[in-house]
Amino acid sequence: KGCHTEINTQDKKGIGPTQPKLFTVKRDCGKRGEGNECISANAKYCGQCIQAGAKCGWCTDPDFLKQGETVSTRCDELQSLKSRGCKDEMIANPRGEQKILKNKMVTNRRKGTDKLRPEDITQIQPQKISLNLRSGEPQSFTLKFKRAEDYPIDLYYLMDLSYSMKDDLENVKNLGTSLMLEMSKITSDFRIGFGSFVEKTVMPYISTTPAKLLNPCTGDQNCTSPFSYKNVLKLTSDGKKFNTLVGQQHISGNLDSPEGGFDAIMQVAVCGEQIGWRNVTRLLVFSTDAGFHFAGDGKLGGIVLPNDGKCHLENNVYTMSHYYDYPSIAHLVQKLSDNNIQTIFAVTEEFQPVYQELKNLIPKSAVGTLSANSSNVINLIIDAYNSLSSEVILENSKLPEGVSIIYTSRCKNGIISEGENGRKCSNISIGDEVTFNISVTSKGCPKQGKPETIKIKPLGFTEEVEITLNFICECECHKDGIENSDLCHFGNGTYECGACKCNDGRVGRFCECSSHEVATEDMDRTCRKDNGTDICSNNGECVCGTCECKKRENPEERYSGQYCQCDNFNCDRSGNKLCGGHGRCECRVCICDYPWTGSACDCSLDNSTCMASNKQICNGRGTCECGTCKCTDPKFQGPTCETCPTCPGVCTEHKECVQCRAFGTGEKKDTCERDCSYFNLIKVKDRNKLPQPNDASYPVMHCKERDANDCWFYYTYAVNNNTEKEVHVVDTLDCPAGPDIIPIVAGVVAGIVLIGLALLLIWKLLMIIHDRREFAKFEKEKMNAKWDTGENPIYKSAVTTVVNPKYEGK
């Protein structure tokens, strides 16, 4: 429907996967013409104009404005300014640029080579860049990331020491040396630390009776006093020391099932000096067999102050657990991200679903199943590390107002992603190089207009790109502005970029009026045309005795003139287009482009559209008017007067004359010399010798006609470049051959014979059918006979018996 939808994301603390998003959806289904953001901005000076959009320019020509046009009409799209007469060198149109300030190459290093300090290893390039941003104009640069080999690793093991973790503590006691050995296969610079946690030391999380505070376990179990968090071992490369100190730890206990692990994670994240974090890969292994308390749960113990996210370790023990509430998940996410810590949750199978959901909220985190075997714990850590380090996710710090960033990633195997997926690449191996195209765009200028600094970094890595944003808020000609210039009515404004920028309280094109004197009867009189009643033709306002024409809903449409009596949208139209689309409208009159003319610029002076196929204007049968043929011969019509529906065809028209001149036959053979001498006749031997359309530089018509004897003759008709009519004719007729008698007679005889045989066969077939029917009839009557089968009914005896009448039997 022509609508434009714009979605902006802005984060409360910053922008990136670690931050909650705020979405602003803007849907624009504007009216026709509202696409010109330059005019819609109604800019009063050059700085406002260039902030309206990247396509906007400001004409600095002092004589650019026409009568009635406001200062804001100096701001327009570049092409529109040029079409209105502003020269290129008079258009202020500053462009953004970028400059790379630090561009150290990524490190190409193999394991076993000379050892480098962590700060000497580079995995991201460039490191520092400066961008000059023009409103609406994106500035793009490419960020390169390469995962370095043999990169140092710090791993801190944070363990739940509630009573249910007793068996797991035994497995961890020998973890140090084993893990050091396995991690040496990945890096030659590995350090490990250990911390433990239980719960806040207040009711109802633990029992506060004196006996339970000394030993929270039941029965004869010997447990240590409950505590919130202890930093047992600062990060070290001594695996044996890890085993020794962890071996001295004892189980404690609490009352409820969820633990206070979030307090411990917060302190591990923010107490970098006490933990011993370096600017290297930082891993936090969080081991527990229970759930967790989070922000708000502290109210059960009367704790209402939100967690302040600061370090409160004294003698390596968290001392403010009774004072501050548990941190929220979002708070933890922010602190883990700020300190480049990647989290591995080693939990029992029962709580896997809970921590899987937590993993989805914490970028660069992983979940593994905790088992009773120490080797399985090592495999869990190594697998989780490989999974985390194979993915790079970019995030940026909080953006200044009006600034947006678009990421496009080009990952392994040429996979390209955009949007939120453009921030990350997966399945990255050591030595693989991926790139991100980062586009930064500013909309308008910040209120202060001062340079701003933002940072982009891959989650879990300490390296980052520092970007300095310089905003282009003014034009170059602004520097040459003359304050209190005489050109602005005795110094009532600053003359800059070809126009007056009035001081407060002054109005008018040259700041010639006070804002309190704008509307007076004397001033209105000068705004009436011919002493009429309409002020500024009802198309504007009278300001300081001068008409300032009002704006239309469509910013492309303008009023102008001393009395706003002119406009650029009320000219004649052709084809539903203003000035036919071939000119511009000035003061309600079309100014036509060449070669157009007429009141609506709909009459073309170009006669190429009237050229017929024979290279004659209108086929010689009409005149060309406004690029269209007006046929003078009523028989002809069409765009070039070449169509004649009632005319015989060219071939039919010349048939009789060609026949009489070439062969001496036809209806005109007696008047041939008189009627048929208008063309030159050229005879050729066969059809292949006739001129072809592609061979001649003029149109050629091929004809095929038949004479009274049914003989065909072939010829061509053309008008050559000298306007002479030429006819090429094949000098032999193509007559059909006579009939072949023998095949005809043979065919007739064969037909008669075949017909006779067919009749005999039909008669024979009918007789067979008739006999079969008679025999069937006889058989039926025989079956129906009524006589005695013992006596022949037609038999007559040879004996005749005669009785004597006189015989009385005596």
Side-chain angles (χ1 to χ4, degrees):
K1 296 181 180 179
C3 297
H4 170 70
T5 301
E6 180 181 340
I7 302 177
N8 295 321
T9 62
Q10 183 174 353
D11 299 336
K12 213 167 184 180
K13 300 284 185 182
I15 292 186
T18 65
Q19 304 298 340
K21 304 280 188 301
L22 297 176
F23 294 92
T24 301
V25 181
K26 180 180 179 183
R27 185 165 175 83
D28 182 10
C29 298
K31 299 179 181 179
R32 179 178 63 90
E34 291 185 354
N36 191 330
E37 57 190 352
C38 311
I39 297 178
S40 301
N42 196 26
K44 300 299 183 184
Y45 57 93
C46 189
Q48 281 187 343
C49 178
I50 63 172
Q51 292 178 41
K55 297 179 180 179
C56 301
W58 176 272
C59 185
T60 62
D61 185 353
D63 301 323
F64 175 70
L65 295 182
K66 298 179 182 178
Q67 280 189 327
E69 291 184 338
T70 61
V71 175
S72 62
T73 56
R74 289 181 177 273
C75 183
D76 205 341
E77 294 182 355
L78 303 182
Q79 193 58 42
S80 179
L81 289 176
K82 293 177 185 178
S83 65
R84 291 166 57 195
C86 190
K87 298 179 181 179
D88 287 343
E89 62 271 17
M90 301 297 288
I91 298 176
N93 179 35
R95 311 311 301 176
E97 59 181 0
Q98 55 182 268
K99 185 178 181 181
I100 297 177
L101 304 177
K102 187 177 179 181
N103 194 29
K104 185 179 178 182
M105 300 295 291
V106 292
T107 303
N108 292 312
R109 175 173 175 250
R110 297 288 182 184
K111 189 176 179 181
T113 58
D114 295 338
K115 190 172 182 179
L116 296 175
R117 295 180 302 170
E119 54 268 26
D120 293 332
I121 300 174
T122 303
Q123 299 183 107
I124 192 169
Q125 178 188 358
Q127 295 79 39
K128 195 171 184 180
I129 190 170
S130 175
L131 300 179
N132 290 343
L133 295 180
R134 159 84 183 271
S135 178
E137 180 187 27
Q139 290 294 321
S140 301
F141 65 94
T142 299
L143 185 148
K144 184 188 299 182
F145 177 86
K146 185 175 183 180
R147 185 179 163 195
E149 188 172 352
D150 196 23
Y151 195 70
I153 300 174
D154 284 351
L155 185 145
Y156 192 84
Y157 199 97
L158 182 60
M159 186 172 183
D160 176 10
L161 286 189
S162 59
Y163 185 77
S164 57
M165 291 288 287
K166 181 178 180 180
D167 294 338
D168 298 283
L169 178 59
E170 295 299 322
N171 296 327
V172 178
K173 289 180 178 180
N174 297 318
L175 181 66
T177 53
S178 301
L179 187 59
M180 294 288 291
L181 181 62
E182 289 296 326
M183 293 301 288
S184 65
K185 300 175 183 178
I186 298 175
T187 177
S188 59
D189 188 359
F190 176 72
R191 300 195 310 166
I192 188 171
F194 184 81
S196 58
F197 67 91
V198 180
E199 185 56 276
K200 289 184 181 295
T201 54
V202 296
M203 281 289 287
Y205 312 110
I206 66 167
S207 175
T208 56
T209 60
K212 288 295 184 181
L213 286 175
L214 292 175
N215 184 3
C217 300
T218 59
D220 58 352
Q221 299 291 334
N222 185 20
C223 297
T224 189
S225 299
F227 57 92
S228 178
Y229 162 68
K230 286 181 182 179
N231 177 29
V232 178
L233 175 64
K234 189 176 181 179
L235 288 164
T236 178
S237 57
D238 188 350
K240 293 181 180 180
K241 186 176 181 180
F242 179 92
N243 291 349
T244 301
L245 288 177
V246 174
Q248 298 173 1
Q249 302 304 305
H250 297 283
I251 291 297
S252 185
N254 62 320
L255 294 179
D256 61 343
S257 176
E259 315 294 2
F262 275 16
D263 273 342
I265 293 177
M266 177 61 76
Q267 292 303 301
V268 171
V270 298
C271 298
E273 184 177 348
Q274 291 86 338
I275 302 299
W277 293 118
R278 298 176 295 170
N279 285 331
V280 297
T281 298
R282 299 174 177 179
L283 299 178
L284 170 62
V285 179
F286 181 85
S287 177
T288 184
D289 66 345
F292 47 83
H293 285 296
F294 53 88
D297 289 353
K299 293 180 180 179
L300 297 174
I303 303 172
V304 295
L305 285 179
N307 195 287
D308 64 351
K310 296 180 180 179
C311 181
H312 297 287
L313 291 185
E314 293 183 11
N315 297 321
N316 288 320
V317 176
Y318 180 38
T319 59
M320 301 296 285
S321 67
H322 64 287
Y323 190 76
Y324 289 115
D325 193 6
Y326 302 98
S328 66
I329 294 176
H331 200 179
L332 272 185
V333 169
Q334 179 193 349
K335 292 300 180 181
L336 289 171
S337 172
D338 290 345
N339 293 280
N340 305 308
I341 297 173
Q342 304 177 63
T343 311
I344 301 172
F345 296 103
V347 297
T348 56
E349 188 172 353
E350 178 185 357
F351 285 92
Q352 281 276 324
V354 175
Y355 283 90
Q356 284 289 350
E357 291 297 324
L358 182 60
K359 167 189 172 294
N360 295 334
L361 299 174
I362 303 179
K364 297 292 283 187
S365 62
V367 178
T369 304
L370 187 64
S371 64
N373 191 327
S374 61
S375 63
N376 287 341
V377 175
I378 294 174
N379 291 334
L380 182 156
I381 293 173
I382 293 176
D383 291 343
Y385 166 73
N386 289 332
S387 174
L388 291 173
S389 60
S390 67
E391 183 177 48
V392 58
I393 303 175
L394 298 183
E395 73 164 1
N396 52 266
S397 59
K398 183 180 179 182
L399 297 176
E401 183 181 357
V403 175
S404 61
I405 294 184
I406 298 175
Y407 294 87
T408 303
S409 62
R410 186 178 294 273
C411 304
K412 197 174 179 180
N413 300 324
I415 298 174
I416 299 176
S417 301
E418 297 178 346
E420 282 301 307
N421 290 330
R423 295 177 176 268
K424 60 186 178 181
C425 282
S426 304
N427 301 320
I428 302 174
S429 304
I430 292 175
D432 287 344
E433 185 175 291
V434 296
T435 59
F436 297 86
N437 182 269
I438 301 175
S439 178
V440 183
T441 307
S442 168
K443 186 63 178 176
C445 274
K447 293 180 180 178
Q448 294 78 16
K450 297 179 180 179
E452 299 274 359
T453 299
I454 62 173
K455 295 180 180 181
I456 298 176
K457 68 175 184 178
L459 281 174
F461 295 86
T462 58
E463 298 174 67
E464 61 188 14
V465 180
E466 182 179 307
I467 306 172
T468 302
L469 305 179
N470 302 299
F471 301 95
I472 303 175
C473 299
E474 289 288 353
C475 301
E476 286 293 326
C477 53
H478 168 73
K479 301 176 183 178
D480 302 325
I482 304 173
E483 294 186 4
N484 302 321
S485 172
D486 290 338
L487 295 174
C488 300
H489 197 72
F490 305 107
N492 286 318
T494 300
Y495 186 78
E496 64 176 51
C497 304
C500 284
K501 185 178 178 182
C502 298
N503 297 334
D504 292 341
R506 304 299 297 184
V507 293
R509 184 183 292 188
F510 300 104
C511 311
E512 64 270 27
C513 289
S514 169
S515 57
H516 305 293
E517 303 172 351
V518 171
T520 66
E521 185 62 31
D522 290 338
M523 290 184 179
D524 288 348
R525 187 178 298 110
T526 62
C527 295
R528 294 188 178 99
K529 184 180 180 181
D530 299 331
N531 292 325
T533 58
D534 295 335
I535 296 178
C536 299
S537 306
N538 289 330
N539 295 325
E541 296 180 356
C542 187
V543 179
C544 299
T546 303
C547 285
E548 287 193 359
C549 304
K550 65 183 181 182
K551 293 186 177 182
R552 304 264 300 171
E553 286 185 357
N554 181 355
E556 298 293 339
E557 299 177 352
R558 302 183 184 91
Y559 290 107
S560 62
Q562 181 180 355
Y563 304 101
C564 301
Q565 75 277 16
C566 297
D567 62 59
N568 66 346
F569 54 87
N570 272 324
C571 291
D572 291 343
R573 294 175 178 265
S574 176
N576 202 30
K577 292 182 180 180
L578 192 67
C579 297
H582 303 129
R584 66 185 185 278
C585 181
E586 292 187 3
C587 204
R588 304 185 180 182
V589 176
C590 284
I591 307 299
C592 302
D593 300 331
Y594 181 81
W596 297 90
T597 186
S599 62
C601 300
D602 53 354
C603 182
S604 175
L605 301 177
D606 183 11
N607 60 11
S608 61
T609 56
C610 297
M611 193 68 68
S613 58
N614 58 6
K615 308 300 181 182
Q616 295 184 4
I617 299 296
C618 299
N619 195 29
R621 301 179 185 274
T623 58
C624 186
E625 298 178 8
C626 296
T628 303
C629 283
K630 301 294 183 182
C631 302
T632 54
D633 190 333
K635 293 190 300 181
F636 290 86
Q637 60 187 44
T640 54
C641 301
E642 292 183 278
T643 304
C644 182
T646 60
C647 298
V650 173
C651 294
T652 304
E653 181 181 356
H654 303 291
K655 169 187 173 182
E656 298 297 334
C657 284
V658 173
Q659 187 178 358
C660 77
R661 289 191 58 181
F663 307 106
T665 60
E667 295 180 359
K668 292 188 177 182
K669 64 179 180 179
D670 298 329
T671 59
C672 190
E673 185 175 350
R674 184 189 66 194
D675 298 337
C676 301
S677 58
Y678 58 88
F679 60 83
N680 298 327
L681 182 68
I682 304 170
K683 294 185 178 182
V684 297
K685 294 295 183 182
D686 52 55
R687 294 172 60 185
N688 295 330
K689 301 295 183 179
L690 292 174
Q692 301 299 317
N694 294 333
D695 296 336
S697 59
Y698 45 85
V700 176
M701 174 67 73
H702 279 251
C703 300
K704 176 183 177 182
E705 297 293 339
R706 186 164 54 185
D707 63 10
N709 297 323
D710 286 335
C711 292
W712 295 96
F713 59 96
Y714 305 90
Y715 66 95
T716 62
Y717 177 85
V719 179
N720 62 22
N721 294 330
N722 297 324
T723 67
E724 296 175 348
K725 299 181 174 79
E726 291 182 352
V727 173
H728 290 71
V729 63
V730 179
D731 59 3
T732 57
L733 295 171
D734 185 8
C735 298
D740 195 345
I741 302 301
I742 295 176
I744 295 174
V745 173
V748 171
V749 172
I752 293 173
V753 172
L754 291 174
I755 292 172
L757 290 174
L759 292 173
L760 286 175
L761 290 173
I762 293 171
W763 175 82
K764 181 62 177 178
L765 180 62
L766 293 174
M767 291 304 297
I768 290 173
I769 294 172
H770 178 266
D771 289 343
R772 287 182 179 179
R773 286 181 177 175
E774 289 296 324
F775 180 75
K777 183 178 179 180
F778 170 74
E779 288 291 326
K780 183 176 180 181
E781 290 178 351
K782 180 179 178 181
M783 294 296 295
N784 294 333
K786 303 296 185 180
W787 60 77
D788 183 6
T789 57
E791 181 177 351
N792 189 346
I794 63 174
Y795 172 75
K796 291 183 180 181
S797 177
V799 180
T800 304
T801 301
V802 180
V803 179
N804 188 352
K806 299 294 186 177
Y807 180 67
E808 298 179 351
K810 295 179 178 182

